[in-house]
Each structure stands twice: as structure tokens, then as C-alpha cells.
Amino acid sequence: MKKFIFSWCVLCIVSLHAQTITVSDHSSREPISNVVIYDKNNVTVITDSRGKADLSTLDKNSQITLSHSAYQTYVLSDEEKQGQIINIRLIQKSVVLDEVILSANRFAEHKIDVPYSVMVIPQKEIEFSNQQTSADLLQNTGAVFVQKSQMGGGSPVLRGFEANKVLIVVDGVRMNNAIYRGGHLQDIITLDANMLERTEVLFGPASTIYGSDALGGVMHFYTKNARFSVTDQLEVNTNAFARYSSANMEKTGHLDVNLGWKNFASLTNITYSGFDDLMSGSNKLAGTSSSWDRNYYAGRYETLTSPGGTKVMRDTMIKNPNNNLQVGTAYSQLDLMQRFALRTGAHLTHNLNFQYSQSSDIPRYDRLTEMNAQGKLKFAEWYYGPQTRLLAAYTLNFDKHGLLSDNLRVIGAYQKIQQDRISRNFQSNNRKTQMEDVSVISLNVDAYKKMALKHEFRYGAELQLNNVVSTANTMQLITGDVQPAQTRYADGGNTMNTMGLYVSDAWELDENFVISGGLRFTMNQLVSEFKDTTFVKFPFTTAEQNNSALTGNLGFTWKEDNDYKVSLLMNTGFRTPNIDDMSKVFESSNSILIVPNPDAKPEYATNFELNMSKVMGGKFKFDVTGFYTLLEKALVQADFVFNGNDTAVVNGDTMRVQAMQNKNSAYIYGFSAGAQFDFNAKLSFKTILNYTYGRYSDVNTNSVSPLDHIPPVFGQTSLIFKEKNMDAEFFVRYNGSKKLSDYSTSGEDNLQYATPNGMPGWFTLNLRLGYSFTKNFRVNAACENISDNRFRVFASGVNAPGRNFIISLRYKI
């Protein structure tokens, strides 16, 4: 009993002397971690994940300062220093030259030291922007162009590269797989924007660290991690919200719950979204095409063959009473994530990461609107079947200083992707289904070591094994008879195996000058087996490739903290052919038969860029990046000799034969320019403008032609207001026009969906705001495309949303 009383007295005395500070964001009330708090003697404490720190070790008679790179510096008043519990709310800076980034070399480092151009989207901005999908999240930055063939999609373009020429990574695991195609992709929407903690976009070739496909850049998505408790007690954190959007009657519900103990934590994340058909704008801008009206859509009804005859199902063109409503865009999606974290020592942690995404059928809106020469719809059905993505990953992180590394990370992952294409011609009873099942096993080992003479080494290895099973059938809807059909890829099985090794070094010669460099060697093997040659007679039953690539980078950075940064970078990237390049067999709509080409080789990009950033007076910052990229041995679809002939007969039709070949060289250049200005502590201005120009050389015709995937000039300009408990932003998003003469002839720019003069320019006026009623409850509201303009983004087959009212209610504990 005496021991208990003694312990209780000691605890009381300690509690009386303890002084706790809680630091949170001025407008959102979110806790701020990693705030450095120090006194005149440089005694320092740092806030934890809850924004808390103990000030008992600091000298209360001296000045106590709070410092964070993203927030304005704060000095405690004498009154605040005397309080037992101190609550401080910091005002976020708009003008920041430096921040911590993770994606450039797969480990945390200061952005000011890196020669790459990197954009960071933090969790606070993700929540405030309130976007429906991860594709919309990227487009909302004004720095990434996004193409859409249907509402349930979004294909990001980085510096004129798209689809399998840009890399998507989630939690250190590459999403690009063996069937990523060269056209437009929708896979990014399988990443739930509501489970993200941050997103980083690295612009330009990044194959030294990431390997194949990183020609235009890397989009690295970091999901929320399970968080440990900072005490010995169970810590429970809950985040729930509901959102409604008027343009497509979106109804989204989200819940994530974190249970944290001292050495074990669990995070559960659930999101469900339902979207009705999308309403486009009613205010037609100059140059807008009437072909974008949704006048008719297909329906299937039971009819009589003749009076008193047999009842049959037939397709009918139904008049749309509101041609602004894009019938055939609706879909829904369920996203789940479960993460576990286990700490088994002071330096060793383990993470399990399970992600699952499943959509409903997603209509391919652009195909459903196509009309034939007789004025009838071409397709009655064209949709992606329920698309699923499964990820199971284990991560080991060991951060103890050793001979070979100061930080070692190992990621083993398994992915399962199912992607089906279902189509049926208008007034046809034959429905074709192509099914692709992709399994991916991967292993990444990455290490960081700080050496003498201010060298920071990063090195690692990557192994990835892809297996693709491709099947297809045709169903006769009246009889129910099912017959085999031509598969999209080789029907006997497809494998793609990749192995890579890399090393990079950052050498800080002094506090103002850093030299960065690295090398990577990658080997790739493709094998496809063709069993059924009923539809196309191949001269082989096995197609095989073995490729290798050596890439590197060299960069120089001059910098001064909170003042300027200038960097020069020369880097290379590559994309090795995948199963989609080598094994794909399909009939295009232009009487062309695409056949495999086992002789295709990797394509290479060499990039030169200059980055400049400058802060003036602590209130104004500008960033300018100029780049020139040369693409060599470019893989293009071109005429091909197959079985000794340049044509082939398929189902009685003579078709021209083409294949993917290393034919052309291309060049792309452009710039991105941004500026930020703080009028005062509450009001700031931000703008960004992007320009890209691309051409390729056709060796057959000795001519220079427009390169595909090159967006028109685009950007975004914002006025941002921050007040206690509130954020507000008024912004203008805009695109320039794209002339018909600047369209590529490859077909990837979707010329058929443009106007007779190309794609007209457009703009939208937008307003959003958020208000925190309490530290737990926040409301976000927005009105996008206020003037209800009707427009299409370049190369897209669906109109953008019209006037869109958005409201979300969020509750956090």
C-alpha cells in the first residue's frame, strides 16, 4: 500500500510539471506532426503523429519557437508558456521551396536536393479537393493532363507520354503489367482516392530507379498506413464521410478505422461509390460539335416477327429526351483495404497490405455513340466487364545503421487483375466476350546507406513475374449457344519475366551543391504460346523475346535554403515490349489485322531538362522547368509482312497486316511554369501552365508528323483563402485548342470524336470551400463548371461534367 501511495504521489508530481502542447492546422484542425519546438539553448522536442509534444525540458524563461517547413513560424507568448496544456494552430505557407519527398529514389529525401521535377499532393489537399477518382485527383492539380473514353476511366498523360509509357506505382509496387497497352487506360480508377495518404508525380524518364515504362514519368500513390499508439494504451482513430455530386448523382460513402497499440496496429478502409449517367454542360462553347449530343441510345425489347408471329428480342434506337444526359456512362465501384503493422524491435517493422477493387460493368461510352454510314448505332453493347484488382503485399523495414545499409526495405507482392471486354453489334444476336486474367508476383529490395564524404548511396533489385491467360467466346443470345472466338492474346499462355539491378548516389559537395547519378541494368523475357490457329494461321506456335536495357541519369543541383534552386538533369528511360506489343491479335475497325512481331526491341528516351525555382521576400515563388526528350527505336503500329504477304484473309475478308515495330524516332519538348504569391497570411494566388510539342520521323516517307498523345496547352489558376476553421479556393481550369493538323494519324488521338476543325479550347470557373465546425466535424462544398460549359478534353470520347454541385460531410475522431 505504501508503494502504491508513493508511486501515485510521484505520478502526480510528474504530471504537475509536465507541460503538453498540441499543434494543429489553422483551418482544418488536423494535427501536425514533425513540428520542431526549441528554446534559446536549442533544446528541441518534436510533435508526434497526434501533433503532441512535452515541453517540460525547455527553458520557459527564454523564447520558445515552433518551426515546420510547410507552416509559418510561431513564437509562444509568455501567457501560453505558463499554461499546463497548450493548443496552437499554425497557418500553412503557400510559398515553400523545400519539402520531404519519397518517390525520386524510393527513400525520404529533401526535394531541394533532387534534380527531378516532383509534385506532391498531401492528404490535406486530397481531402479538400474532394475528387471522385484518382484520375480526377491528378487532373485537379493543373499539372497532369487526363484523357477519358468513358466516365469510368481516366488516362493520365505526362509530358506527352501515356498508358504503357508512364508508370503507376502503389506503396512501392508497380501496377503496370504485361497487358498495359499503348492506347488509353482506365486502370488508375481502381486506386481509391480516399485511401491515399499522399501522391507524388515524378516528371520525366525515371527508369534508373523504376525500370521499364517510366518514359514520361512516375505516379506514386502512397496509401494510409496502420499507425501505432504513442502510449501504452489502445488508440482508436475513425474517419468517415459521405459525398453527393449532382452532375452524375454520385453517392459515395467511406469509412476507415485505425486501431493502434504500442507495437501492433490495424487499419480498415471501405469505400463504395455509385454513379448515374453523366450530365454534360448545356452552354455550348464556340466550335463545339453537335455530334457530341447523345440523341439516341440502344435498347433491347421483345417484338413480334409478324402479326401473330414469334416473339423475338430486337435492338431499337431510343430517342433521348435530354441529349445533354450521356446515357451509357453509369457504373459503381467498391474499394477495400486492410493494413496491419507489427513492430518486433526498435528498428524492425512488418507491414501487410491488402487491397481489393471491384467495379460494375463499365460502359465504353465512346464506342456506344458511334454511328455507321446509314445513321444507325454501330454497337448495342460495349463495356468492360466487372474489373477487379487484388493486391497482397508484405513489407519489411529495417532502419538500423549497419555496414551495408542504414535502411533496408523488402517488398514481396502478389497482384491479380481481371479485365473483360464485352461487345455486340447493333441488331446482332452474337455477343463477343474477351477475358484476360493477369497474375503478377514481384519482389523489391531497396537499401540506403550514408557514407563518408557526404555520399548517399541507394541500391536495389527488382524481380517481376507476369502470367497472362487470355480466353474468348461468342454467345448466340437467342439459342444460348457458345462458340470459341479469337482471343486478344495468345491462347496457349503468356509470360513476362523481368529482373533489374540499380545503384544511385547523391554527393553533397557542400551545402549549396549536389551531384546525383545512377545506373540500372534490366533483363526481360517474353514467351507466348499459340494453340488454336482457326482464326489466324500463324507461321509459328511460339513467340519469344529476350531483351536487356542499360539506363542512367546524371544531375547537378545548386541551391540555397528558402531562396533558390537550379538543377540540370540528363537521364534516360526505356520501355521493353510487353505481351500487348508482342502477342496481341485483333481486327481493328479499319480493315487492319494486328499480328505478333517477336523481333520488337525496347524503345529508349533520352531527356535533358533545366529546373529553376526562386523564392523572393518569403511571399513569392516561381518554378520553371524546360525539357527536351528524344525517343529512339519507337514502337509503332505499321504495315508488316506476314506469311510472306502484306494482307491476310479473315472470315472471308481481306485485311491489311500490321504489327508493332521499332520504326521511328520522335522528339518532345515543352515547359511547365508555376507561380505562387502570398498577399497576406490569409489570401494567396497560385497558377500553373503546361506546354508540350511532339513530332515523329517516318522513315518510310521521310517526313515529320505529329506525335500522338500530345495535349494542347493547359493549366489552372487559383485564388486561395484561409481563415480560422475555413479554406476556400476559386479556380479557373483551361485548355487551349488542338488543330486538326496537329492530330496524329495513328488513331490514338481519336480524331473521330473531334470537330471538323479539331478540338476547341475550353475553360471552367470553379469554387470550393471547407469549414470545420468542430475539431471532429467538417463540411466541404463545391460548385464546379459554374457556367455549365459543354466541352471535351482532347482525345476523349465523353463530354466533361456540366455544372456540378458537390457536398461532403466528414467526421474524424
Side-chain angles (χ1 to χ4, degrees):
M1 185 66 180
K2 291 182 179 179
K3 288 183 178 180
F4 172 78
I5 295 174
F6 175 76
S7 300
W8 183 81
C9 291
V10 170
L11 181 63
C12 289
I13 293 171
V14 171
S15 299
L16 287 171
H17 284 84
Q19 190 177 33
T20 301
I21 187 171
T22 301
V23 186
S24 58
D25 184 270
H26 186 262
S27 57
S28 70
R29 296 191 177 188
E30 290 288 320
I32 306 172
S33 60
N34 298 316
V35 177
V36 179
I37 307 173
Y38 58 92
D39 61 19
K40 68 176 182 180
N41 301 314
N42 284 327
V43 177
T44 301
V45 296
I46 299 175
T47 59
D48 58 25
S49 60
R50 301 173 300 168
K52 295 181 180 296
D54 182 4
L55 303 185
S56 57
T57 58
L58 274 61
D59 182 2
K60 309 303 184 301
N61 296 317
S62 71
Q63 177 174 293
I64 296 179
T65 305
L66 283 68
S67 177
H68 191 287
S69 61
Y71 288 85
Q72 297 179 16
T73 300
Y74 188 91
V75 177
L76 294 182
S77 66
D78 291 337
E79 182 180 354
E80 288 169 333
K81 285 187 288 186
Q82 301 309 313
Q84 198 69 27
I85 299 177
I86 307 171
N87 292 295
I88 301 297
R89 293 164 69 176
L90 299 183
I91 298 174
Q92 189 175 18
K93 296 177 183 176
S94 295
V95 176
V96 179
L97 188 61
D98 191 23
E99 58 188 319
V100 174
I101 59 173
L102 307 174
S103 61
N105 289 290
R106 300 183 76 100
F107 286 98
E109 57 190 325
H110 286 280
K111 182 178 178 180
I112 198 171
D113 295 333
V114 175
Y116 291 96
S117 175
V118 182
M119 177 185 68
V120 180
I121 312 174
Q123 184 178 351
K124 181 185 175 184
E125 187 174 327
I126 293 172
E127 292 183 354
F128 180 57
S129 66
N130 219 11
Q131 299 299 301
Q132 294 181 352
T133 69
S134 292
D136 296 333
L137 173 67
L138 293 177
Q139 180 178 259
N140 180 73
T141 64
V144 178
F145 187 88
V146 176
Q147 180 275 351
K148 288 189 178 185
S149 297
Q150 66 279 338
M151 184 173 69
S155 190
V157 182
L158 304 180
R159 293 189 176 178
F161 292 101
E162 185 182 357
N164 59 17
K165 291 181 174 63
V166 295
L167 183 63
I168 303 174
V169 181
V170 55
D171 295 327
V173 179
R174 59 184 291 137
M175 281 183 59
N176 289 42
N177 58 54
I179 65 169
Y180 267 41
R181 57 190 181 273
H184 310 292
L185 291 174
Q186 76 279 4
D187 297 66
I188 196 171
I189 69 166
T190 65
L191 288 170
D192 177 17
N194 305 294
M195 71 181 183
L196 299 177
E197 187 169 78
R198 67 189 281 135
T199 298
E200 296 187 12
V201 181
L202 194 159
F203 295 92
S207 290
T208 303
I209 302 299
Y210 290 98
S212 180
D213 301 0
L215 295 178
V218 177
M219 295 159 283
H220 201 143
F221 297 88
Y222 298 88
T223 64
K224 299 172 184 177
N225 209 340
R227 296 192 306 176
F228 299 113
S229 173
V230 294
T231 69
D232 292 326
Q233 303 297 316
L234 169 64
E235 184 176 320
V236 180
N237 298 106
T238 302
N239 171 38
F241 82 86
R243 181 174 61 222
Y244 170 81
S245 302
S246 64
N248 54 6
M249 307 296 283
E250 178 210 12
K251 294 167 282 292
T252 291
H254 170 85
L255 173 69
D256 63 74
V257 179
N258 188 90
L259 304 177
W261 289 267
K262 190 72 173 179
N263 295 309
F264 179 76
S266 166
L267 174 67
T268 303
N269 186 103
I270 304 171
T271 304
Y272 176 81
S273 296
F275 308 98
D276 289 350
D277 290 325
L278 179 65
M279 183 72 74
S280 64
S282 60
N283 179 27
K284 295 184 178 181
L285 299 176
T288 301
S289 173
S290 60
S291 65
W292 297 349
D293 296 346
R294 183 60 154 149
N295 293 316
Y296 294 93
Y297 59 92
R300 191 166 175 82
Y301 295 97
E302 191 175 57
T303 61
L304 294 174
T305 56
S306 62
T310 305
K311 290 184 177 181
V312 296
M313 299 296 294
R314 291 183 60 86
D315 294 324
T316 304
M317 289 178 57
I318 301 173
K319 178 71 174 178
N320 187 4
N322 183 351
N323 61 19
N324 293 326
L325 183 64
Q326 299 177 98
V327 178
T329 51
Y331 78 102
S332 61
Q333 185 163 310
L334 173 68
D335 294 287
L336 306 173
M337 183 178 73
Q338 177 64 54
R339 300 199 66 168
F340 297 106
L342 175 66
R343 184 159 46 201
T344 56
H347 303 282
L348 184 62
T349 57
H350 312 264
N351 268 277
L352 287 177
N353 184 353
F354 301 98
Q355 299 175 21
Y356 180 76
S357 175
Q358 178 173 321
S359 72
S360 65
D361 292 339
I362 299 180
R364 183 69 185 265
Y365 181 79
D366 56 347
R367 297 295 182 90
L368 292 175
T369 61
E370 291 181 357
M371 311 285 281
N372 62 23
Q374 290 72 44
K376 291 186 177 182
L377 294 168
K378 288 185 179 181
F379 295 97
E381 299 177 347
W382 211 123
Y383 56 90
Y384 294 109
Q387 179 169 297
T388 63
R389 179 184 69 90
L390 170 69
L391 167 68
Y394 164 75
T395 302
L396 178 148
N397 193 75
F398 184 63
D399 61 3
K400 185 176 182 180
H401 298 290
L403 178 63
L404 297 179
S405 72
D406 296 334
N407 194 343
L408 175 68
R409 185 184 302 120
V410 179
I411 305 175
Y414 171 77
Q415 297 178 76
K416 179 74 172 177
I417 300 98
Q418 293 181 319
Q419 193 175 93
D420 303 341
R421 293 170 174 81
I422 298 92
S423 62
R424 183 173 62 84
N425 292 337
F426 187 72
Q427 292 184 344
S428 169
N429 290 319
N430 296 318
R431 176 190 289 150
K432 183 178 181 180
T433 301
Q434 292 180 311
M435 296 158 283
E436 327 306 335
D437 292 338
V438 184
S439 300
V440 186
I441 297 174
S442 62
L443 178 67
N444 288 82
V445 180
D446 301 289
Y448 165 82
K449 179 64 181 177
K450 191 167 186 178
M451 307 289 287
L453 302 177
K454 298 185 178 180
H455 284 276
E456 294 184 5
F457 280 103
R458 297 169 179 89
Y459 58 95
E462 179 180 36
L463 176 68
Q464 189 178 61
L465 311 175
N466 282 252
N467 184 67
V468 179
V469 177
S470 186
T471 57
N473 64 62
T474 299
M475 173 183 283
Q476 218 290 339
L477 298 184
I478 303 298
T479 66
D481 182 46
V482 178
Q483 296 292 330
Q486 174 64 54
T487 57
R488 185 173 174 86
Y489 305 109
D491 59 341
N494 307 267
T495 60
M496 183 175 82
N497 302 326
T498 305
M499 190 276 286
L501 300 170
Y502 77 89
V503 61
S504 70
D505 176 41
W507 181 19
E508 190 173 11
L509 274 72
D510 57 43
E511 62 180 9
N512 300 118
F513 186 50
V514 180
I515 300 177
S516 305
L519 287 172
R520 181 189 184 99
F521 179 72
T522 304
M523 295 186 298
N524 191 74
Q525 181 190 56
L526 296 173
V527 179
S528 293
E529 301 284 348
F530 298 87
K531 290 171 55 181
D532 188 352
T533 58
T534 302
F535 302 96
V536 181
K537 302 295 183 182
F538 296 110
F540 47 78
T541 57
T542 301
E544 185 172 354
Q545 283 188 16
N546 290 280
N547 295 314
S548 62
L550 179 67
T551 52
N553 67 281
L554 180 64
F556 305 90
T557 303
W558 295 265
K559 44 121 182 183
E560 179 72 41
D561 286 346
N562 299 318
D563 189 357
Y564 71 88
K565 172 188 171 181
V566 178
S567 62
L568 286 171
L569 176 65
M570 184 188 78
N571 53 343
T572 58
F574 75 97
R575 189 184 76 83
T576 189
N578 61 15
I579 296 298
D580 189 82
D581 297 307
M582 187 187 75
S583 171
K584 182 166 62 179
V585 182
F586 77 98
E587 306 160 39
S588 78
S589 58
N590 299 317
S591 298
I592 295 173
L593 176 69
I594 309 300
V595 298
N597 176 18
D599 297 324
K601 300 297 181 183
E603 52 187 342
Y604 292 88
T606 302
N607 178 67
F608 304 89
E609 67 181 82
L610 171 66
N611 299 288
M612 295 186 293
S613 301
K614 173 67 177 176
V615 172
M616 290 179 281
K619 290 190 173 184
F620 177 76
K621 184 184 82 164
F622 73 85
D623 303 273
V624 178
T625 297
F627 64 91
Y628 180 91
T629 304
L630 177 65
L631 185 64
E632 298 177 288
K633 298 182 179 179
L635 282 166
V636 297
Q637 182 179 306
D639 291 339
F640 190 67
V641 175
F642 186 69
N643 283 336
N645 298 301
D646 58 5
T647 61
V649 177
V650 181
N651 297 326
D653 297 324
T654 300
M655 310 189 78
R656 194 164 89 251
V657 174
Q658 291 191 344
M660 296 299 294
Q661 304 167 67
N662 299 96
K663 279 253 178 210
N664 303 326
S665 62
Y667 61 88
I668 302 174
Y669 63 80
F671 69 84
S672 177
Q676 293 175 257
F677 180 72
D678 283 346
F679 294 101
N680 51 49
K682 298 180 179 180
L683 185 64
S684 60
F685 168 87
K686 181 171 70 173
T687 189
I688 185 169
L689 185 69
N690 308 275
Y691 172 79
T692 312
Y693 182 89
R695 291 291 186 269
Y696 79 90
S697 302
D698 190 327
V699 296
N700 292 326
T701 61
N702 194 28
S703 62
V704 176
S705 303
L707 190 64
D708 49 13
H709 304 294
I710 303 297
V713 63
F714 68 99
Q716 186 168 303
T717 300
S718 302
L719 273 176
I720 302 167
F721 179 77
K722 295 180 182 294
E723 179 58 277
K724 190 173 184 180
N725 301 327
M726 188 180 79
D727 296 276
E729 179 181 13
F730 174 78
F731 61 101
V732 183
R733 186 174 297 148
Y734 39 86
N735 267 215
S737 61
K738 180 88 169 183
K739 295 180 180 178
L740 216 59
S741 59
D742 289 329
Y743 270 69
S744 168
T745 58
S746 69
E748 298 295 355
D749 287 348
N750 289 331
L751 183 62
Q752 67 271 30
Y753 304 132
T755 73
N757 297 314
M759 189 63 73
W762 55 266
F763 71 94
T764 61
L765 306 177
N766 314 270
L767 176 67
R768 58 173 163 243
L769 58 90
Y771 189 84
S772 298
F773 288 89
T774 69
K775 68 177 183 178
N776 304 116
F777 181 61
R778 183 174 175 84
V779 175
N780 284 83
C783 181
E784 297 179 342
N785 193 3
I786 295 172
S787 52
D788 200 30
N789 293 339
R790 176 185 290 195
F791 65 94
R792 279 192 180 183
V793 174
F794 162 68
S796 295
V798 62
N799 297 344
R803 185 182 296 116
N804 189 22
F805 294 99
I806 306 168
I807 186 166
S808 68
L809 309 177
R810 185 182 298 272
Y811 190 79
K812 287 187 178 184
I813 300 177

